[in-house]
Amino acid sequence: SCLQTSRSIWGWGSLVLFLATFGPFAVFYFAFYILCFVGGGFVVTLLFGKSNSEKYLEQCEHSFLPCTSVGIPKCIEEMKRETRPIKIDRRLTGANIIDEPLQQVIQFSLRDYVQYWYYTLSDDESFLLEIRQALQYALVQFSARSKETDWQPYFTTRLVDDFGTHLRVFRKAQQRIAEKGNQMKDHAEELVDTFFEVEVEMEKEVCRDLVCTSPKDEEGFLRDLCEVLLYILLPPGDFQNKIMRYFVREILSRGILLPLINQLSDPDYINQYVIWMIRDSNCNYEAFMNIIKLSDNIGELEAVKDKASEELQYLRSLDTAGDDINTIKNQINSLLYVIKVCDSRIQRLQSGKEIDTVKLAANFGKLCTVPLDHILVDNVALQFFMDYMQQTGGQAHLFFWMTVEGYRVTAQQQLEVLQSRQKDGKHQTNQTKGLLRAAAFGVYEQYLSEKASPRVNIDDNLVAKLAETLNHEDPTPEIFDDIQRKVYELMLRDERFYPSFKQNVLYVRMLAELDMLKDPSFRGSDDGEGESFNGSPTGSINLSLDDLSNVPSDETVQLHAYISDTGVCNDHGKTYALYAITVHRRNANSEEMWKTYRRYSDFHDFHMRITEQFENLANILKLPGKKTFNNMDREFLEKRKKDLNAYLQLLLNPEMMKASPALAHYVYDFLENKAYSKGKGDFARKMDTFVNPLRNSMRNVSNAVKSIPDSLAEGMTKMSDNMGKMSERLGQDIKQSFFKVPPLMQKTYSDPDHCRVAAPIDDNVDDNIPLRVMLLLMDEVFDLKERNQWLRRNIKNLLQQLIRATYGDTINRKIVDHVDWMTSPEQVADAVKRFRDAFWPNGILAEAVPRRDKAIRMRTRVAGKTKLLEVMPDELKHIIGAETTRKGILRVFEMFQHSQLNKRMVYVFLERFLETLFPQNKFPELFNKLHSRSKQMQRYKQRLHSTQAPSLQK
């Protein structure tokens, strides 16, 4: 304690002494000095560590990197150096005619997509030259691949198959929507969704709905595709340069491919192109009115109505006098009629009371009557009568009648050949008669014997008489005439056959295909006028057989006609002569007079029609001949007018009319004050010789007989056996279509409507390129597979004969030559020039074309449909039917009115093009992966999994 006391005394003493010496603020000064000492030491330590760290880092840098100048001096030195020029070879394809426009396309692309922003960053052109060099290298590789590729399969097979598949998917989508039966609020959207739903069911592994409906996914698809192409075409070093690769990719995808695809898939662009392609065809009033009456698009009808109203106001504002008044009145009446039809159609569509003309035609007035003899010789009508006879079990009677017709014609030909050979000193009488007897026995066994199945039920006495004749007499062409006449009367009068057929829906459909079905939807209009289906405000232009049957046949009716005047007309650059015919018709109570106008071609068609129906007239009536040159001279026209007048007077001679009473119907039709409806001309009649089943049977037998060798006994025996089985083969050929005889070997079945159009049509067709293409397109456009196979086989025979007659046996070689011509340097250069001029007219980037007004686009659609219907030849209607032709053409046109579907077709063509160009790069697998995110594909897989799961559990 003493020690502690002493320490405290010393402590307090020291503190007192310190304060007394230094003052009371000495404590603060001492603390400040200590703080400064500590802070100075910290600063010294920091500076020392920084200098040591810098020295260490400098040592590390010099140990791993070469010594270089740093900073601004190095940049100045690099800029002062002279840039090394990049040499670019302007050769691309090896053909100067192609390289020149391609170089311009590359130059314009770089100028408008890169240079305009790059020069704001730098004046150095090396980067631009590198991009140009990469593009040219890619084009050189592309050109080399193209030269090594065989393009003939692509253009003649794959391209056609893809178009046929696209059309089939569209047709199935339309049928699926029609089966639903409800009125969609947005029919276009529903059609697009259904289309891709059918596509995934048909393609199984791919669906392009996202690429075609989503702009974002479309851009991504094109970027990925361009990057793959750059990987294939560019050298590895350039491809690894990401900056340059991205620039080139964006130029190709966003600058070239995307605008091109958008233009090609624009419905309005396609419609304008269609109109331009058939610009030489004149629009027909009848076809235009048919389009208006068949239109189911209110926008089209309103656009036509607005334009007609505009023209109507203009015509009413004109101040005219004299002859112009009548012309303007006629124009005003026509426009009023168009407006009326549009209003009626719009009201019906808005009310939802759409009418199926075919189903309801029988409930409105009297149907046209087509005689049985006309049905049996008309290709279109016969197929419907065949279907009906199959339903009623009377097909054996019809097939017998057809086979006998073929036998008669063939027998007549062979007997004529026999007579000509006998005159030349060749003797084959026994052989020919033996062949004909074998053929006649074949017909008898097939249809009339007790073993026949099915058997023609006819009078047993006639059958026995025929058998007696066959056993003891030489066969003649008329040997079956009595039984054939009885079979015809049975089909005509038996209530099961022709009378009931006229009350069946197949008869109504037949009238529609013959274009003889009047539209019932315009009956009961406000003014009470009966307007016809074909669009004529004054009545039906198509004179039906029923109308002809109502023409007065009383002898008191007198008809006189003469050509009163002639003139030359110029219609859209086409010059032709027109003859004015003054017609007088008198009967006991009234007298009528009118004028009608006919061309020489109308006279010629009328003459061919009546001489075909009345063969005796061919030796009596002589039509003035044609003249190719100077046929518009006044003197020639006057001479022809005189000759045609003489022709008319001879035709209208009462004795002539009495000799051929049915001739009056054709004469009244020709002299009626209306547009003359031409029948079958030369071309159509040549077609019918191949299409008509009677001629088809005749050809089969005739070919068998004509191929008999003149001197080989072995050949004679072989052909005798063939002729002995002739009728059996004919019967079996017909049976295969209508009785569905199963083949000896069953094949694995796959529904052709639910698969791609890629399999060969048949063994004979696949080797004939044009026949395959034409038959495939006709199958898909006109839906021929839904019709009976008899018609399809006849069309196939027709196309074969037509192609053979037109091109001979070298058609495939000519097609290959044409493909070579299409891929020749001149044609490729022309395509590149068109592309250049379209995107850079006069060397300037084309501005985006403003979207045309909706009304203009709608009127363009109407004009396009009218042009397509007008350009279809009448011969096609005679072969497959007017209604089928009209529906097929309008289906194809409607398919092109959806941009999403057009994009799908463009992308399919592009994919097939790349698969053909790069067969070793597995593009099909690549496209499946690129389209794998499809929503339709995912839903399809889910449905497929859900349907397979129960079976797997079992």
Side-chain angles (χ1 to χ4, degrees):
S1 62
C2 292
L3 182 59
Q4 293 179 352
T5 302
S6 62
R7 287 180 179 176
S8 61
I9 293 174
W10 280 102
W12 285 105
S14 299
L15 178 63
V16 171
L17 183 60
F18 179 79
L19 294 176
T21 304
F22 297 101
F25 297 99
V27 178
F28 299 102
Y29 293 145
F30 183 72
F32 177 72
Y33 294 151
I34 293 174
L35 180 63
C36 290
F37 176 77
V38 174
F42 178 76
V43 171
V44 170
T45 303
L46 180 64
L47 294 176
F48 179 76
K50 179 181 179 183
S51 61
N52 286 341
S53 299
E54 290 177 350
K55 291 179 181 179
Y56 178 76
L57 291 174
E58 186 177 355
Q59 292 176 359
C60 293
E61 181 180 358
H62 286 284
S63 62
F64 295 106
L65 299 175
C67 297
T68 58
S69 302
V70 295
I72 297 177
K74 177 62 178 177
C75 295
I76 295 175
E77 182 181 353
E78 291 290 340
M79 294 175 67
K80 287 182 178 179
R81 288 183 182 179
E82 183 178 357
T83 57
R84 183 183 59 179
I86 300 177
K87 296 181 180 180
I88 296 181
D89 190 353
R90 298 183 65 85
R91 294 176 298 176
L92 298 175
T93 64
N96 293 329
I97 192 175
I98 303 177
D99 293 347
E100 181 181 352
L102 268 181
Q103 288 290 351
Q104 293 179 343
V105 170
I106 295 175
Q107 178 183 350
F108 294 155
S109 300
L110 293 176
R111 182 195 67 189
D112 294 326
Y113 295 115
V114 180
Q115 290 179 4
Y116 80 96
W117 58 265
Y118 177 77
Y119 282 141
T120 62
L121 303 178
S122 173
D123 294 332
D124 185 16
E125 295 187 355
S126 59
F127 175 72
L128 299 177
L129 294 177
E130 291 284 354
I131 292 181
R132 185 178 189 125
Q133 191 176 29
L135 285 174
Q136 292 193 174
Y137 184 87
L139 287 174
V140 170
Q141 297 299 316
F142 185 86
S143 173
R145 292 287 185 96
S146 300
K147 293 177 181 178
E148 298 172 356
T149 303
D150 182 13
W151 291 107
Q152 183 263 333
Y154 173 76
F155 286 106
T156 60
T157 302
R158 305 193 72 177
L159 205 65
V160 180
D161 289 345
D162 289 331
F163 179 79
T165 301
H166 187 83
L167 184 56
R168 177 177 295 180
V169 174
F170 181 77
R171 175 168 53 84
K172 301 299 289 185
Q174 279 188 324
Q175 292 175 358
R176 188 167 297 183
I177 290 179
E179 290 172 359
K180 294 180 180 179
N182 55 342
Q183 295 293 330
M184 308 296 177
K185 290 184 178 180
D186 192 346
H187 182 270
E189 183 177 352
E190 180 70 17
L191 179 61
V192 171
D193 292 339
T194 307
F195 178 91
F196 289 110
E197 180 182 333
V198 176
E199 181 197 19
V200 71
E201 295 175 1
M202 189 171 293
E203 298 278 1
K204 307 295 184 184
E205 297 180 353
V206 66
C207 184
R208 303 168 182 83
D209 55 338
L210 280 183
V211 175
C212 299
T213 58
S214 172
K216 182 178 178 181
D217 290 296
E218 182 182 11
E219 293 178 4
F221 173 81
L222 289 176
R223 287 195 185 99
D224 294 338
L225 183 60
C226 290
E227 194 149 352
V228 172
L229 291 176
L230 293 177
Y231 173 78
I232 296 175
L233 299 175
L234 290 180
D238 291 342
F239 182 77
Q240 296 300 329
N241 187 339
K242 291 186 177 180
I243 296 178
M244 185 181 66
R245 185 174 83 225
Y246 290 161
F247 275 121
V248 176
R249 183 191 70 182
E250 292 300 314
I251 291 175
L252 291 177
S253 63
R254 296 289 302 276
I256 297 178
L257 286 180
L258 188 60
L260 180 62
I261 292 173
N262 288 335
Q263 183 178 16
L264 293 177
S265 58
D266 181 19
D268 189 49
Y269 172 80
I270 296 175
N271 296 339
Q272 295 180 64
Y273 189 72
V274 168
I275 295 174
W276 177 82
M277 286 182 63
I278 50 180
R279 59 190 179 277
D280 294 333
S281 173
N282 299 325
C283 284
N284 180 274
Y285 174 79
E286 179 181 350
F288 171 72
M289 293 308 303
N290 273 337
I291 291 298
I292 296 299
K293 292 182 178 182
L294 294 173
S295 175
D296 57 357
N297 190 306
I298 296 180
E300 292 179 0
L301 298 170
E302 290 180 343
V304 173
K305 176 187 172 184
D306 293 342
K307 188 64 177 179
S309 301
E310 180 182 337
E311 292 293 327
L312 186 62
Q313 293 178 0
Y314 170 75
L315 290 176
R316 286 175 171 172
S317 65
L318 295 178
D319 184 14
T320 57
D323 296 336
D324 293 338
I325 294 180
N326 295 328
T327 303
I328 292 177
K329 283 183 177 180
N330 291 334
Q331 294 177 355
I332 290 176
N333 290 333
S334 298
L335 291 173
L336 289 173
Y337 175 69
V338 171
I339 294 173
K340 175 185 174 183
V341 173
C342 290
D343 284 334
S344 176
R345 186 68 179 163
I346 290 172
Q347 292 176 5
R348 190 180 311 119
L349 291 174
Q350 289 176 341
S351 63
K353 298 179 180 179
E354 184 58 23
I355 297 176
D356 189 338
T357 304
V358 174
K359 292 182 179 179
L360 300 182
N363 298 325
F364 293 86
K366 184 180 179 182
L367 291 174
C368 302
T369 300
V370 182
L372 180 60
D373 55 346
H374 285 79
I375 293 176
L376 294 176
V377 298
D378 187 275
N379 177 64
V380 176
L382 182 58
Q383 60 174 309
F384 289 96
F385 190 56
M386 276 185 176
D387 292 339
Y388 177 77
M389 294 294 283
Q390 179 189 2
Q391 294 176 6
T392 58
Q395 62 272 22
H397 300 79
L398 178 59
F399 298 158
F400 171 78
W401 190 93
M402 294 167 57
T403 306
V404 170
E405 284 292 313
Y407 168 83
R408 180 191 299 111
V409 176
T410 304
Q412 290 174 350
Q413 286 189 347
Q414 295 312 310
L415 291 177
E416 291 175 359
V417 171
L418 178 61
Q419 292 176 1
S420 64
R421 288 185 175 182
Q422 287 177 344
K423 291 180 181 179
D424 297 337
K426 299 179 181 179
H427 300 283
Q428 293 181 346
T429 305
N430 295 332
Q431 291 89 344
T432 302
K433 291 183 178 180
L435 294 176
L436 292 179
R437 178 177 287 105
F441 267 108
V443 176
Y444 174 82
E445 293 292 334
Q446 183 70 29
Y447 295 103
L448 301 174
S449 68
E450 296 294 336
K451 300 178 182 180
S453 177
R455 184 174 183 270
V456 175
N457 295 320
I458 204 68
D459 189 0
D460 292 337
N461 293 330
L462 288 177
V463 175
K465 182 179 178 182
L466 173 65
E468 182 72 16
T469 304
L470 288 174
N471 290 326
H472 298 89
E473 298 180 12
D474 291 334
T476 63
E478 299 81 14
I479 192 170
F480 293 101
D481 281 5
D482 292 339
I483 297 181
Q484 187 191 32
R485 192 177 302 110
K486 288 292 184 181
V487 170
Y488 176 83
E489 293 178 358
L490 180 65
M491 290 190 297
L492 178 64
R493 308 196 182 282
D494 194 316
E495 286 295 330
R496 296 174 299 165
F497 304 141
Y498 177 68
S500 297
F501 173 62
K502 292 192 294 183
Q503 308 299 323
N504 193 275
V505 66
L506 287 174
Y507 184 79
V508 181
R509 291 178 181 173
M510 181 196 73
L511 293 179
E513 295 293 353
L514 296 175
D515 212 12
M516 298 169 62
L517 188 62
K518 297 181 179 180
D519 185 6
S521 59
F522 285 87
R523 294 182 180 271
S525 57
D526 296 338
D527 56 2
E529 295 179 357
E531 299 164 300
S532 68
F533 179 78
N534 55 31
S536 172
T538 59
S540 175
I541 290 181
N542 297 321
L543 192 65
S544 67
L545 295 176
D546 185 56
D547 296 331
L548 289 176
S549 64
N550 294 328
V551 175
S553 58
D554 189 356
E555 295 183 359
T556 60
V557 177
Q558 299 179 1
L559 189 68
H560 302 279
Y562 63 95
I563 300 177
S564 56
D565 197 6
T566 183
V568 178
C569 296
N570 192 321
D571 186 8
H572 296 278
K574 295 182 179 180
T575 304
Y576 55 88
L578 200 63
Y579 300 92
I581 306 175
T582 302
V583 184
H584 295 266
R585 182 168 61 183
R586 297 189 183 92
N587 56 28
N589 301 322
S590 62
E591 179 179 350
E592 296 180 84
M593 185 184 71
W594 65 85
K595 277 192 176 183
T596 188
Y597 299 89
R598 295 288 180 261
R599 298 172 57 177
Y600 175 79
S601 60
D602 299 331
F603 277 96
H604 185 265
D605 182 86
F606 170 71
H607 179 75
M608 292 188 65
R609 185 185 298 187
I610 61 175
T611 52
E612 184 183 72
Q613 294 294 327
F614 311 95
E615 296 180 358
N616 59 319
L617 296 181
N619 299 323
I620 302 174
L621 292 174
K622 299 298 181 182
L623 187 70
K626 294 183 178 181
K627 184 179 180 182
T628 306
F629 303 103
N630 299 324
N631 55 8
M632 295 298 155
D633 293 345
R634 193 63 194 173
E635 294 182 0
F636 172 76
L637 292 179
E638 288 296 327
K639 181 179 182 303
R640 175 172 281 180
K641 170 185 172 183
K642 181 180 178 180
D643 294 340
L644 289 176
N645 258 325
Y647 177 86
L648 279 178
Q649 303 313 313
L650 181 60
L651 179 67
L652 295 174
N653 188 297
E655 298 300 326
M656 179 82 70
M657 304 296 280
K658 289 181 181 179
S660 303
L663 178 63
H665 303 322
Y666 295 91
V667 174
Y668 287 132
D669 181 27
F670 180 72
L671 298 177
E672 190 95 19
N673 184 18
K674 63 177 184 179
Y676 179 59
S677 178
K678 289 187 178 181
K680 303 178 184 179
D682 260 340
F683 184 68
R685 286 175 170 80
K686 292 177 183 178
M687 294 260 192
D688 282 343
T689 61
F690 303 117
V691 176
N692 194 290
L694 311 181
R695 310 285 176 84
N696 188 30
S697 301
M698 174 198 71
R699 185 167 57 254
N700 291 338
V701 183
S702 177
N703 289 339
V705 177
K706 287 183 179 179
S707 60
I708 299 175
D710 291 336
S711 58
L712 298 178
E714 180 182 358
M716 289 292 300
T717 304
K718 180 179 178 181
M719 291 312 302
S720 177
D721 294 338
N722 288 341
M723 282 297 295
K725 299 178 181 179
M726 177 275 304
S727 60
E728 181 180 357
R729 290 201 307 272
L730 290 176
Q732 292 299 327
D733 183 58
I734 298 174
K735 276 184 169 182
Q736 287 177 3
S737 296
F738 296 95
F739 298 117
K740 309 298 182 185
V741 178
L744 296 178
M745 291 185 61
Q746 295 293 338
K747 299 181 180 180
T748 55
Y749 174 77
S750 62
D751 187 358
D753 277 345
H754 289 84
C755 61
R756 285 182 48 81
V757 181
I761 297 176
D762 57 46
D763 295 337
N764 297 328
V765 171
D766 195 47
D767 293 336
N768 192 324
I769 295 174
L771 178 61
R772 181 187 184 280
V773 171
M774 295 173 68
L775 189 57
L776 186 146
L777 292 180
M778 291 191 70
D779 273 344
E780 299 305 327
V781 173
F782 302 109
D783 200 10
L784 295 183
K785 289 187 178 180
E786 297 295 329
R787 315 284 285 275
N788 58 55
Q789 292 301 308
W790 171 84
L791 172 65
R792 190 173 182 274
R793 279 201 307 274
N794 282 324
I795 291 177
K796 173 189 167 184
N797 293 332
L798 161 70
L799 295 177
Q800 283 178 325
Q801 297 294 333
L802 180 62
I803 292 171
R804 189 174 302 161
T806 307
Y807 299 102
D809 296 329
T810 62
I811 180 63
N812 284 358
R813 179 68 258 173
K814 292 181 180 180
I815 289 181
V816 173
D817 294 341
H818 185 72
V819 173
D820 293 339
W821 173 78
M822 291 172 58
T823 56
S824 64
E826 293 78 8
Q827 293 303 309
V828 174
D830 187 59
V832 175
K833 289 177 182 179
R834 289 199 300 268
F835 174 80
R836 177 199 62 192
D837 296 338
F839 275 75
W840 292 277
N842 299 321
I844 302 174
L845 182 64
E847 298 181 357
V849 179
R851 188 173 177 83
R852 300 200 306 167
D853 182 68
K854 180 181 178 181
I856 298 178
R857 287 186 280 117
M858 291 295 104
R859 287 195 290 270
T860 305
R861 285 183 56 168
V862 174
K865 286 192 283 189
T866 304
K867 285 274 191 178
L868 280 177
L869 280 187
E870 180 64 21
V871 79
M872 284 299 104
D874 292 336
E875 288 78 10
L876 186 62
K877 299 178 183 178
H878 297 320
I879 296 172
I880 62 177
E883 186 70 12
T884 299
T885 302
R886 183 162 46 241
K887 286 184 178 180
I889 297 303
L890 294 181
R891 179 187 296 119
V892 175
F893 185 86
E894 180 64 25
M895 182 183 69
F896 287 112
Q897 303 312 305
H898 305 274
S899 60
Q900 300 95 329
L901 308 188
N902 296 338
K903 281 190 176 183
R904 187 261 179 194
M905 186 164 57
V906 173
Y907 279 118
V908 168
F909 290 164
L910 177 61
E911 291 172 10
R912 299 294 177 267
F913 175 81
L914 295 177
E915 291 172 10
T916 305
L917 188 62
F918 304 101
Q920 72 280 5
N921 291 106
K922 298 182 179 180
F923 266 97
E925 292 83 351
L926 172 65
F927 289 129
N928 289 345
K929 292 180 180 179
L930 292 178
H931 295 301
S932 60
R933 295 187 301 106
S934 165
K935 296 179 181 178
Q936 291 286 357
M937 177 63 69
Q938 294 172 3
R939 287 196 288 265
Y940 173 74
K941 289 181 178 180
Q942 291 175 357
R943 291 196 303 268
L944 192 64
H945 178 73
S946 61
T947 54
Q948 292 178 350
S951 60
L952 292 176
Q953 292 176 359
K954 292 181 180 180

